[in-house]
Amino acid sequence: MKGLSASSFARRIFKSNSQSPKENRENTGSYDAINVILNHDFSEELHLWRTNCCNAFVVPAGSGNYKGTAEDVGCSYAVVTNRTECWQGLEQDITSRISAGCDYTVSACVGVSGTFHGSTDVLATLRLVYQNADTDYLFISKKSVTGEGWHKLEGSFSLSTMPDQVIFYLEGPSPGSDLLIKSVIITSPGCTDYESSRPTSSCTDDEKIIVNANFDYSLNSWSGRGCKVVCHDCMADANINPTSGKYFASATERTQSWNGIQQDITGRVKRKLAYEMTAIVRLYGHNANCADVRGTLWVQAADYREQYIGIAKVQATDKDWVQLQGKFLLNDSPSKAVIFLEGPPPGTDILLNSLVVNHAVKPPPPPPPVVENAVFGVNIITNTHLNNGTNGWFPLGNCRMSVQTGSPHIIPPMARDSLGSHENLSGRYIIVTNRTETWMGPAQVITDKVKLYLTYQVSAWVKIRHASGPQNVSVALGVDDQWVNGGQVEVSDDQWHEIGGSFRIEKQAAKVMVYVQGPAAGADLMVAGLHIFPVDRHARFNHLKRQTEKIRKRDVILKFSGSDSFRLLATSVKVRQKQNSFPFGSCICRTNMDNEDFNDFFVKNFNWAVFGNELKWYSTEAQRGKFNYREADELLDFCTRNNIQVRGHCIFWEVESTVQEWIRSLNNNDLTTALQSRLSGLLTRYKGKFKHYDVNNEMMHGSYYQERLGKDIWANMFKKAHHLDPSAVLFVNDYHVEDGCDTRSSPEKYIEHILDLQDQGAPVGGIGIQGHIDCPVGPIVCSALDKLSILGLPIWFTEVDVSSNNEHVRADDLEVMLRESFAHPAVEGVILWGFWELFMSRENAHLVNAEGELNEAGKRYLALKQEWLSHAHGHIDDQGQFSFRGFHGSYEVDFVTASMKITKTFVVDKGDDALVISIDI
């Protein structure tokens, strides 16, 4: 294996005077006659400085003298030690902060310490790097110094042309002596705007973000993040070679999953711009067959707040190079930014052939999909009624299939709501026996019948026999090599059960097969009346508009009075609704608040909020006893200032993978104490400030605390929370309740769960349905809401997002969810799980593109918000009244007489009777 370590390469390059590698460029904007050198006095340790094959550290202010230096100093200073060559010292890249044609003055406060006789020289030098020519060196100044006190090194320089890279460095004392640096100042009084005076570079800004992207200059500008990095031209007896260029790097001797290769890109990326990272990676080492490699950006704000931004993830192997690609955006300008690769288990090497970061290209918006000859409501399954035996069907696997009679004659209820008028079923069904695998069942190939971007509803009756205990039955689709969920149901008795679901295909497939599967081997599976048909969403929308008119509006009578009532007759009246009172909210995160464009859109278009992670236990107490409420406090303050109501998400999270390691390490007594402390600390701190709390998130999909502390713990969480903050409505909250694709959280199971909590005395006050849904079908969603509404509790969609690579289809999906919610009387609020690209948990789910442009889904949301505002105009009648029907919310009314124009405000609350509002003018 041929390799060269970072330190040995740097030493070889410098001593041979060969072409020097490119290094960090720090781009910090324009400078008004201020110091070109950043961190000039080492107040930020060694940030932006680097050594040449030696070591350095900073002596803090007031720490005393160092190895006999003549005086103490009241400020920090750097010590460069372990020097074995005279050219070793401290350097900083100043490329982006100087300009050709300007005169610069240099002033450095330096000293030396060590065993030498008399005096020794300290030199200030520029290293000038040219991409296609030899590196040059420009001597600036020299100062003869002794080991007594500090000395001022002064000089000047000017560049007639701009190299690709300019490095300022201090060097010179005898080997073995330490170089001391208190401050460095480089200024140019006559050239304050370096950007305007610089010649135009042949490189674009994108090319400057990652330096030495292809390792043409070995490992320069790259370093290991907790591990060693090595540059190679090949590995493994020349079986691993770069896929492009001449070299690649390896991050080796990794002992933690976060170890990897990194580059400091501070100052090279701008806030509110979207960037795309593309890297070519692979794995090497024992047990390196397959693992995830992640691209991550670490940023630190000026107030030292840290953030890790996940950019991309790819499954890599030791067999071939793969592409790792993703986007990121910074809401604020960080003081530090480092991009790095991480992820594989310790002992596995990460290989990197190239890594580039460019300003993300904005793709043109896709047109709405054109679906030719779409016939809504028409079943694409052949021989559904089994009039021709099993013609069109085949058994999947080595099982037997036959037709029998005795199944229901009616279409399952969810399909009836979509299909309208339809013929009854035949009463015949397929029975599959001799099943030796769970996936065995009846199947059909429907490749030529499925149209791209159409949403299909799935419906069937299913039944099992000869099974031990409850069994999951699902309608599945094999789309080439992918499995698609078409709906699931749990079957536990000898009865027919409705199964319903939906799917959509957005990429052309070579083969699409539908099959029914699921029960344990040995169980017989029966299927009747399988229907798969495209749904007509807009026909459903018309029905929902009529429902909305009934439940979200109220008759209003404005009754005018005044000293001269006669003059009011026929006066012009104009009514404008300012805001619908129905809660529409969104998830927000602390980092979003640094983007004023995000804030403006949020405040204008939402009246409720939920915090993404800032209130979760793993955020407020990542380490035992070390609390961090800062970000939650800042978000809550932002919402309060802007009159935004807030849901508290969440007190606990029942899924084990979300529980902090320190909590999992506790014994049961200490765990009980920790839970009580979490409840008391959180709800006492924020008493009365959060309108809702999700008490224990996703209890349908996890049972960590219950398994540790017993069944009563769930109810006790609710009881204690209610005792601490009686004003907050306490919610259950779970996912896949509304879409028919998860038997663990079906509406029936959710109802059973809530009733069980209530039987134990838990004050459950609301039902949270998260709403992370794919290709929603209105009747399926509505069926779930109808079932849950029998509990008489308010229902909220708490985390809605929909995903499609076509924003027009995404807009349709979002409209389905919003209209179904707004038209159902049991739903009292909808919270979106974000709206801004790159700040959502799902890809292709955003309403606003990364740089602030509204896409089709966002336009649809705003259009619906506008549709759900009432406006009316007319004249006061002879009874002194003006009547209209309007949505609940706040209003303004203008009326104009011959002598005056008056504006009044009023509110329309919920109610069945007409609302009479008296207005005195």
Side-chain angles (χ1 to χ4, degrees), residues 698-748:
E698 297 175 1
M699 289 180 281
M700 306 300 292
H701 292 88
S703 56
Y704 176 76
Y705 296 113
Q706 187 181 70
E707 290 178 3
R708 290 284 309 272
L709 302 176
K711 182 179 179 181
D712 294 342
I713 188 61
W714 288 358
N716 290 338
M717 290 173 174
F718 278 84
K719 294 175 186 177
K720 180 69 172 179
H722 178 69
H723 173 74
L724 291 167
D725 191 351
S727 66
V729 181
L730 304 181
F731 275 71
V732 293
N733 191 52
D734 230 300
Y735 60 91
H736 285 330
V737 177
E738 77 288 2
D739 56 11
C741 71
D742 190 342
T743 59
R744 293 171 295 178
S745 53
S746 66
E748 293 80 5

Side-chain angles (χ1 to χ4, degrees), residues 233-236 238-242 248 282-284 318 321 351:
D233 55 10
C234 66
M235 285 177 65
N239 289 316
I240 299 178
N241 296 285
F248 62 92
R282 71 185 292 171
L283 305 179
Y284 179 76
D318 59 353
W321 297 97
L351 307 188

Side-chain angles (χ1 to χ4, degrees), residues 330-614:
L330 299 176
N331 288 308
D332 200 5
S333 298
S335 62
K336 297 180 183 179
V338 177
I339 195 167
F340 63 97
L341 301 184
E342 60 173 335
T348 299
D349 293 356
I350 302 173
L351 307 188
L352 175 62
N353 188 192
S354 64
L355 190 152
V356 295
V357 174
N358 297 313
H359 182 207
V361 176
K362 294 180 181 178
V370 177
V371 182
E372 297 180 355
N373 303 318
V375 183
F376 296 111
V378 174
N379 189 14
I380 64 173
I381 293 296
T382 299
N383 192 22
T384 289
H385 296 283
L386 305 173
N387 295 326
N388 299 317
T390 59
N391 183 47
W393 297 87
F394 62 90
L396 188 63
N398 188 23
C399 54
R400 296 179 183 177
M401 188 175 69
S402 60
V403 175
Q404 295 185 9
T405 60
S407 59
H409 286 265
I410 60 172
I411 294 282
M414 286 184 286
R416 286 203 302 272
D417 291 341
S418 295
L419 292 172
S421 58
H422 53 273
E423 61 177 328
N424 286 335
L425 300 178
S426 65
R428 288 183 285 270
Y429 64 92
I430 290 176
I431 181 169
V432 183
T433 59
N434 286 42
R435 298 175 61 255
T436 58
E437 301 287 347
T438 58
W439 48 264
M440 290 183 177
Q444 278 196 24
V445 174
I446 57 173
T447 310
D448 297 334
K449 300 177 182 179
V450 177
K451 296 182 181 295
L452 297 184
Y453 290 107
L454 275 185
T455 300
Y456 288 87
Q457 183 171 346
V458 178
S459 174
W461 291 109
V462 294
K463 181 180 174 181
I464 60 173
R465 70 181 184 188
H466 305 319
S468 176
Q471 302 288 314
N472 285 349
V473 178
S474 66
V475 177
L477 292 103
V479 183
D480 290 338
D481 58 349
Q482 293 186 334
W483 177 85
V484 176
N485 188 349
Q488 295 185 7
V489 67
E490 184 178 272
V491 180
S492 58
D493 50 30
D494 191 27
Q495 301 292 325
W496 289 98
H497 293 260
E498 177 184 13
I499 188 170
S502 62
F503 70 90
R504 181 172 56 237
I505 298 174
E506 298 191 356
K507 292 182 179 179
Q508 190 63 54
K511 181 180 180 181
V512 181
M513 178 181 66
V514 60
Y515 57 104
V516 186
Q517 57 147 16
D524 295 343
L525 173 61
M526 292 161 271
V527 181
L530 177 62
H531 279 66
I532 297 178
F533 54 92
V535 293
D536 186 351
R537 289 171 154 182
H538 290 281
R540 174 77 179 176
F541 290 166
N542 291 331
H543 163 73
L544 295 176
K545 289 178 182 179
R546 293 189 293 269
Q547 289 294 106
T548 299
E549 181 78 19
K550 294 178 183 178
I551 69 168
R552 302 296 177 190
K553 282 187 172 183
R554 187 176 183 183
D555 290 327
V556 181
I557 301 173
L558 301 181
K559 194 168 186 177
F560 299 94
S561 61
S563 57
D564 191 356
S565 301
F566 179 77
R567 295 182 61 185
L568 297 178
L569 184 64
T571 295
S572 174
V573 176
K574 185 176 182 180
V575 175
R576 301 182 305 277
Q577 186 170 11
K578 304 300 291 183
Q579 187 176 50
N580 193 307
S581 60
F582 187 86
F584 285 108
S586 175
C587 169
I588 58 174
C589 298
R590 171 58 188 85
T591 56
N592 299 140
M593 299 300 97
D594 297 323
N595 187 334
E596 60 275 12
D597 299 332
F598 180 100
N599 296 343
D600 290 344
F601 187 90
F602 172 71
V603 170
K604 289 177 183 178
N605 298 294
F606 299 97
N607 53 13
W608 276 70
V610 66
F611 305 161
N613 291 309
E614 288 78 359

Side-chain angles (χ1 to χ4, degrees), residues 680-842:
S680 299
L682 185 73
L683 276 77
T684 300
R685 181 185 185 90
Y686 294 116
K687 186 174 183 178
K689 296 181 179 180
F690 289 100
K691 299 298 181 182
H692 300 169
Y693 278 109
D694 295 328
V695 175
N696 192 13
N697 200 37
E698 297 175 1
M699 289 180 281
M700 306 300 292
H701 292 88
S703 56
Y704 176 76
Y705 296 113
Q706 187 181 70
E707 290 178 3
R708 290 284 309 272
L709 302 176
K711 182 179 179 181
D712 294 342
I713 188 61
W714 288 358
N716 290 338
M717 290 173 174
F718 278 84
K719 294 175 186 177
K720 180 69 172 179
H722 178 69
H723 173 74
L724 291 167
D725 191 351
S727 66
V729 181
L730 304 181
F731 275 71
V732 293
N733 191 52
D734 230 300
Y735 60 91
H736 285 330
V737 177
E738 77 288 2
D739 56 11
C741 71
D742 190 342
T743 59
R744 293 171 295 178
S745 53
S746 66
E748 293 80 5
K749 288 278 188 70
Y750 211 20
I751 291 170
E752 181 182 343
H753 168 64
I754 295 167
L755 290 174
D756 185 55
L757 287 171
Q758 291 177 329
D759 287 345
Q760 297 178 68
V764 180
I767 303 172
I769 304 174
Q770 291 183 6
H772 303 292
I773 191 168
D774 295 307
C775 44
V777 170
I780 296 177
V781 175
C782 184
S783 173
L785 295 174
D786 288 343
K787 293 172 182 176
L788 292 168
S789 65
I790 66 171
L791 295 174
L793 296 173
I795 298 173
W796 281 60
F797 279 99
T798 57
E799 305 179 18
V800 172
D801 56 22
V802 294
S803 176
S804 172
N805 58 23
N806 186 290
E807 62 188 53
H808 296 270
V809 177
R810 191 187 320 157
D812 289 343
D813 285 351
L814 182 62
E815 184 171 0
V816 169
M817 294 303 295
L818 294 179
R819 286 198 183 277
E820 291 292 341
S821 303
F822 200 57
H824 200 285
V827 177
E828 296 192 4
V830 176
I831 308 291
L832 305 185
W833 200 242
F835 58 87
W836 201 277
E837 185 183 13
L838 303 182
F839 295 93
M840 302 190 68
S841 59
R842 297 173 70 187

